[in-house]
């Protein structure tokens, strides 16, 4: 037929939708779940993927029921076109295979959306044909739509065809066009029944796409349930299992394995090996005669395709049932941290199906439609996340290798390669020129507890509290060691770590009845952006009218970190204040000693994303150095590029004696922490007695999976070939947040301050009284809008909203998310 105008318009519409999705910096296409959608992967090329797609489509359309009313077959990548067209095969053969026993009317269509210039195609690339089938009852309407998205002439791998024929296609283009087709496919049934969608890949599971990306990685953003077409030939067991495990490593669900019977009983071995986890179906031998139209073969195989259809229906139904039950079950069974359950309605529970790079895939029901919706993880899952989709796969692979090689092995007196290599990278990176020892633990709070023990021992030895000969204790009962820390700081949830922070909501009697606050807590000056200007805010305890405007306002954030400020009036003011506080404290008690300084360098995280004046912290470190007080940097949050540099000490311009790292150290894929320290601190624990050793640890210290992940993440973030955000000459991240947009945000009347540094952009909303602070629900409606309407998963700190990306997140993605936040805040009108 001649292509009707509506069909031509549809093709243009799909291409326009794909371009719009591509222009969107992040992959943000909602995937409909109301109807079953499956990817068809092959263990290799030539194993019969298209025969399986055709047989399954025919089985589905043969049904007497109104549902499914349509089958959408999508071939994203086709080479050897048009002589070889898998969509063409289904278009030509499926109508002849349907042969229903009841009256039916089938409309079949075929379309090619983006053929390469080298492909010779007719003026109209779309065809349509109608078929009527006699039988009993009222005729049931069915639809078969076959679409090829990208096509090349030469019958080679897509990456070669794209290169040779001058039509390279970016991964984002392929995904965007596929997403548009899947979304539009929901309309094929016209509300009369389900639309089954089949996405058939090209070649094998790990065959390259047009950009060279493996297809199992190219389509991972969708995480479609998979039909794996196995290989029944000699050597096919190995190929099928390799394909199966490749898919599992990337987080795919394999819903069924189906393969040809080549007389080698491959299916029986696969069924036994897979332990019935996945249905394994076997097809009759495929005739080798090229003149055979396969009609008899399809007829003989119809019962197998019926079983495949049943298995897929069952898989889809169980998946939907589980997803629909998770909100209620989570409310009934789980106890979430930092969450008041009474404030979380059942329908506000976010059901996360998977993660790919910077985004969750969240299950939502909108307008009675079940959807899988990508949500940008704007809190970086409590500040842990850094991987893009490529690093995520690399981390999974390296962790799998470590688990298979080591399982878990105990650490004391032992060594294994991942722990040793990770230590080398830590000491050559964040610990370069100052640290010589790495002490592993399991999380940031534990790392802090270890750091405190280290610092206290060093202080005690330096002050003669311990005797050098055997480090025995003198006047033990009369000694109280305390910390010097900053108000608003947060160093973890364990009891010792909480003692090292100032009173707050986290340390109240409700939360920690044992809390006493073992320290001197100073009120620090902060820096923020307001009305497009970097401003310094002094606490009441160190207010001084003698500071010039140049000491309180800065042209840019770079000026805040400038070392020339060390000779400014502000530096003198800070030094006087700190000295006075320390002197007053030492005079007030003879038995209490400030034995360690502990700070979050530059940014206080859980305390509200406050930027502490780096000059104040630098002066503080120098004052403690003069008094031989060991210095601890808590870089659990700030370390590994979170603030744009590998270590926040680079921003401060001074070094600690002990530093703690976690979260981003492993790329956020698994817990691991490290307390890094100097040789002098290590020496404070050495003697001939085991009792003077550092008696702290946990069962999984330096576990191989975590150390392997850390090795990969550390190397990935600091390599410009894998991290395009890295300015290698300066070893800093490029600016990720649009400066103009940040200034516009800071100028909104309902914004109190903005902090933008590295991967962090935090916005504090103007609020007073109970509307301000950690317990505030002031921004609740705004958070819901960002989550539900803008697909940004935001978790605020009271009236502080923040966005956090990874070190590899592109500036375009950051700008897109920040633009959405700016739009929402500019229209924000809280309702009490």
């Amino acid at each position: 037929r001649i292509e009707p105008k509506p069909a031509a318009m549809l093709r243009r519409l799909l291409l326009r939708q794909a371009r719009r999705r591509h222009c969107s910096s992040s992959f943000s296409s909602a995937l409909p779940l109301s109807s079953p959608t499956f990817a068809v992967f092959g263990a290799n090329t030539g194993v019969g993927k298209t025969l399986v797609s055709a047989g399954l489509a025919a089985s589905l359309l043969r049904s007497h029921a109104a549902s499914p009313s349509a089958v959408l077959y999508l071939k994203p990548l086709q080479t050897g076109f048009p002589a070889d067209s898998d969509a063409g095969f289904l278009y030509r053969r499926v109508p002849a295979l349907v042969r229903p026993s009841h009256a039916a009317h089938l409309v079949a269509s075929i379309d090619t959306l983006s053929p390469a210039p080298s492909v010779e195609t007719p003026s109209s690339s779309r065809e349509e044909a109608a078929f009527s089938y006699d039988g009993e009852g009222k005729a049931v309407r069915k639809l078969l739509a076959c679409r090829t998205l990208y096509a090349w002439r030469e019958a080679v791998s897509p990456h070669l065809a794209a290169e040779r024929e001058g039509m390279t296609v970016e991964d984002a283009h392929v995904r965007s066009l596929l997403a548009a087709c899947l979304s539009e496919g929901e309309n094929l049934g016209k509300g009369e029944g389900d639309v089954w969608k089949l996405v058939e890949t090209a070649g094998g599971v790990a065959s390259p796409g047009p950009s060279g990306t493996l297809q199992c990685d190219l389509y991972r953003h969708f995480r479609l349930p998979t039909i794996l077409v196995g290989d029944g030939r000699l050597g096919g067991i190995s190929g099928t299992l390799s394909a199966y495990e490749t898919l599992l490593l990337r987080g795919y669900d394999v819903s069924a394995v189906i393969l040809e019977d080549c007389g080698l009983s491959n299916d029986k071995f696969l069924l036994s090996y897979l332990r019935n986890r996945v249905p394994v179906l076997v097809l009759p031998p495929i005739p080798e005669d090229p003149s055979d139209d396969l009609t008899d073969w399809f007829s003989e195989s119809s019962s197998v395709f019926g079983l495949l259809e049943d298995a897929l229906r069952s898989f889809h139904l169980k998946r939907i049932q589980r997803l629909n039950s998770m909100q209620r079950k989570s409310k009934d069974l789980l106890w979430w941290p930092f969450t008041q359950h009474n404030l979380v309605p059942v329908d506000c529970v976010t059901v996360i199906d998977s993660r790919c790079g910077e985004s969750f895939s969240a299950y939502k029901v909108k307008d009675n439609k079940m959807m899988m919706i990508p949500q940008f993880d704007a809190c970086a899952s409590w500040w842990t996340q850094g991987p893009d989709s490529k690093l995520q796969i690399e981390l999974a692979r390296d962790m799998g290798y470590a688990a298979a090689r080591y399982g878990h092995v105990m650490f004391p007196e032992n060594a294994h390669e991942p722990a040793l290599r990770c230590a080398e990278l830590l000491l050559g990176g964040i610990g370069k020129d100052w640290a010589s020892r790495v002490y592993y633990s399991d999380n940031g709070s534990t790392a802090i507890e270890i750091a405190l023990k280290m610092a206290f021992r060093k202080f005690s030895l330096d002050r003669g509290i311990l005797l050098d000969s055997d480090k025995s204790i003198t006047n033990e009962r009369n000694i109280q060691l305390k910390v010097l820390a900053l108000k608003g700081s947060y160093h973890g949830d364990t009891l010792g770590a909480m003692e090292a922070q100032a009173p707050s909501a986290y340390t109240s009697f409700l939360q920690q009845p044992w809390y006493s606050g073992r320290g001197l807590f100073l009120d620090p000056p902060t820096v923020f952006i307001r009305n497009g200007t970097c401003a310094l805010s002094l606490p009441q305890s160190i207010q001084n009218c003698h500071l010039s405007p140049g000491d309180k306002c800065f042209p840019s954030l770079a000026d805040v970190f400038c070392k020339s400020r060390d000779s400014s009036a502000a530096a003198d003011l800070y030094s006087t204040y700190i000295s006075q506080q320390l002197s007053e404290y030492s005079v007030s008690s003879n038995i209490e000693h400030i034995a360690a300084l502990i700070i979050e360098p530059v940014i206080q995280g859980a305390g509200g994303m406050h930027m502490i004046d780096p000059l104040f912290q630098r002066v503080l470190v120098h004052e403690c150095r003069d008094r031989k007080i060991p210095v601890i940097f808590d870089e659990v949050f700030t370390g590994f590029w979170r603030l744009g540099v590998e270590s926040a000490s680079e921003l401060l311009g001074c070094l600690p004696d002990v530093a703690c790292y976690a979260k981003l150290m492993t790329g956020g894929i698994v817990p691991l922490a490290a307390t890094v320290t100097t040789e002098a601190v290590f020496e404070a624990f050495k003697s001939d007695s085991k009792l003077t050793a550092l008696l702290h640890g946990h069962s999984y210290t330096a576990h191989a999976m975590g150390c392997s992940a850390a090795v990969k993440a550390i190397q990935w973030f600091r390599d410009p070939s894998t991290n395009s955000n890295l300015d290698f000459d300066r070893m800093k991240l490029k600016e990720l947040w649009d400066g103009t947009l940040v200034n516009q945000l800071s100028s909104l009347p309902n914004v109190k301050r903005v902090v933008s540094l590295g991967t962090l952009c935090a916005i504090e909303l103007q609020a007073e009284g109970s509307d301000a602070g950690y317990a505030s629900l002031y921004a609740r409606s705004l958070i819901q809008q960002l989550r539900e309407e803008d697909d940004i998963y935001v978790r605020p700190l009271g009236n502080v909203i923040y966005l956090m990306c990874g070190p590899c997140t592109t500036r375009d993605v950051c700008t897109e998310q920040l633009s959405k936040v700016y739009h929402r805040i500019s229209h924000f009108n809280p309702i009490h």
Side-chain angles (χ1 to χ4, degrees), residues 809-821:
T809 307
T810 66
R811 180 181 170 92
D812 288 344
V813 168
C814 294
T815 300
E816 182 179 344
Q817 310 310 320
L818 193 58
S819 296
K820 293 177 181 178
V821 171

Side-chain angles (χ1 to χ4, degrees), residues 143-221:
L143 181 67
L144 171 67
C146 305
R147 291 198 183 112
T148 302
L149 276 57
Y150 296 94
W152 294 266
R153 178 182 54 80
E154 194 171 355
V156 293
S157 177
H159 76 290
L160 288 176
E163 179 183 333
R164 293 175 181 179
E165 297 177 37
M167 191 180 87
T168 57
V169 184
E170 296 178 19
D171 293 347
H173 276 123
V174 175
R175 287 192 287 262
S176 296
L177 186 52
L178 178 56
C181 290
L182 289 171
S183 179
E184 185 275 334
E186 287 292 290
N187 301 321
L188 290 176
K190 298 180 179 179
E192 297 179 5
D194 288 344
V195 179
W196 278 59
K197 295 178 280 289
L198 303 176
V199 179
E200 184 181 317
T201 62
V205 164
S207 294
S211 72
T213 298
L214 305 186
Q215 287 182 73
C216 52
D217 296 332
L218 174 61
Y219 302 120
R220 170 57 182 81
H221 295 70

Side-chain angles (χ1 to χ4, degrees), residues 282-427:
V282 59
L283 292 163
I286 301 171
E288 297 182 4
D289 184 357
S291 64
D292 192 319
D293 67 0
L294 301 179
T295 298
D296 292 339
W297 181 85
F298 274 112
S299 178
E300 186 182 355
S301 305
S302 62
S303 61
V304 180
F305 288 121
L307 292 173
L308 177 60
E309 178 186 342
D310 292 342
L312 300 181
R313 285 185 187 277
S314 176
F315 177 91
H316 178 72
L317 180 61
K318 288 179 180 177
R319 184 188 186 198
I320 296 302
Q321 287 175 338
R322 182 62 174 172
L323 288 169
N324 283 331
S325 70
M326 288 178 71
Q327 286 183 318
R328 170 48 62 191
K329 285 191 173 183
S330 66
K331 284 279 288 181
D332 293 341
L333 302 178
L334 302 179
W335 191 342
W336 293 304
F338 292 93
T339 300
Q340 176 50 261
H341 283 232
N342 285 348
L343 299 177
V344 184
V346 172
D347 58 0
C348 286
V349 175
T350 300
V351 176
I352 299 174
D353 178 74
S354 62
R355 181 188 192 95
C356 189
E358 296 97 342
S359 296
F360 301 141
S361 189
Y363 175 69
K364 303 281 185 182
V365 179
K366 290 188 174 182
D367 300 324
N368 294 321
K369 294 180 180 179
M370 295 177 288
M371 312 285 285
M372 204 62 78
I373 299 176
Q375 283 192 316
F376 182 79
D377 180 7
C379 59
S381 286
W382 268 345
W383 323 338
T384 62
Q385 294 303 295
D388 54 16
S389 58
K390 293 180 181 178
L391 176 54
Q392 183 176 342
I393 296 302
E394 294 282 340
L395 289 171
R397 182 185 296 115
D398 284 13
M399 286 181 60
Y401 170 79
R405 178 177 173 181
Y406 295 100
H408 176 62
V409 294
M410 74 177 302
F411 192 56
E413 301 181 46
N414 298 327
H416 55 75
E417 181 60 29
L420 194 57
R421 182 65 184 129
C422 181
E424 290 172 338
L425 288 170
L426 289 171
L427 297 176

Side-chain angles (χ1 to χ4, degrees), residues 77-189:
L77 308 172
Q78 178 73 64
T79 60
F81 190 83
D84 187 5
S85 170
D86 295 335
F89 181 85
L90 264 75
Y91 174 70
R92 294 188 302 272
R93 297 296 294 128
V94 169
L97 300 174
V98 171
R99 298 194 304 274
S101 60
H102 55 277
H105 182 75
L106 172 67
V107 175
S109 64
I110 184 171
D111 203 356
T112 305
L113 300 182
S114 294
S118 57
V119 172
E120 296 180 4
T121 57
S123 57
S124 171
S125 61
R126 188 179 194 277
E127 296 180 27
E128 186 178 289
F131 303 87
S132 294
Y133 304 91
D134 295 331
E136 298 179 355
K138 183 180 178 181
V140 178
R141 297 178 61 84
K142 303 282 184 175
L143 181 67
L144 171 67
C146 305
R147 291 198 183 112
T148 302
L149 276 57
Y150 296 94
W152 294 266
R153 178 182 54 80
E154 194 171 355
V156 293
S157 177
H159 76 290
L160 288 176
E163 179 183 333
R164 293 175 181 179
E165 297 177 37
M167 191 180 87
T168 57
V169 184
E170 296 178 19
D171 293 347
H173 276 123
V174 175
R175 287 192 287 262
S176 296
L177 186 52
L178 178 56
C181 290
L182 289 171
S183 179
E184 185 275 334
E186 287 292 290
N187 301 321
L188 290 176

Side-chain angles (χ1 to χ4, degrees), residues 375-515:
Q375 283 192 316
F376 182 79
D377 180 7
C379 59
S381 286
W382 268 345
W383 323 338
T384 62
Q385 294 303 295
D388 54 16
S389 58
K390 293 180 181 178
L391 176 54
Q392 183 176 342
I393 296 302
E394 294 282 340
L395 289 171
R397 182 185 296 115
D398 284 13
M399 286 181 60
Y401 170 79
R405 178 177 173 181
Y406 295 100
H408 176 62
V409 294
M410 74 177 302
F411 192 56
E413 301 181 46
N414 298 327
H416 55 75
E417 181 60 29
L420 194 57
R421 182 65 184 129
C422 181
E424 290 172 338
L425 288 170
L426 289 171
L427 297 176
I430 51 91
K432 188 175 182 180
D433 298 330
W434 70 272
S436 64
R437 297 284 174 167
V438 175
Y439 198 103
Y440 290 111
S441 58
D442 56 340
N443 61 67
S445 186
T446 306
I448 293 295
E449 301 252 356
I450 292 165
L452 290 170
K453 290 183 176 182
M454 290 178 176
F456 292 161
R457 174 71 65 85
K458 182 67 168 66
F459 176 86
S460 299
L461 193 62
D462 289 346
R463 292 299 181 92
I465 297 172
L466 298 178
L467 300 179
D468 274 318
S469 58
D470 59 359
K471 298 183 174 63
S472 60
I473 303 171
T474 61
N475 288 325
E476 177 181 359
R477 294 182 180 178
N478 295 326
I479 298 169
Q480 293 186 33
L481 302 184
K482 299 198 173 184
V483 300
L484 176 62
L486 303 181
K487 293 180 180 179
S489 62
Y490 183 84
H491 300 294
D493 303 332
T494 52
L495 298 182
M498 296 184 84
E499 286 295 300
Q501 56 202 46
S504 68
Y506 306 112
T507 63
S508 68
F509 186 84
L510 283 171
Q511 301 299 331
Q512 218 290 58
W514 284 359
Y515 174 78

Side-chain angles (χ1 to χ4, degrees), residues 729-749:
D729 292 334
R730 299 192 301 157
M731 284 306 288
K732 296 178 65 175
L733 296 183
K734 301 168 187 174
E735 290 294 330
L736 298 177
W737 307 103
D738 182 87
T740 301
L741 200 51
V742 167
N743 288 336
Q744 289 174 346
L745 257 171
S746 75
S747 302
L748 292 174

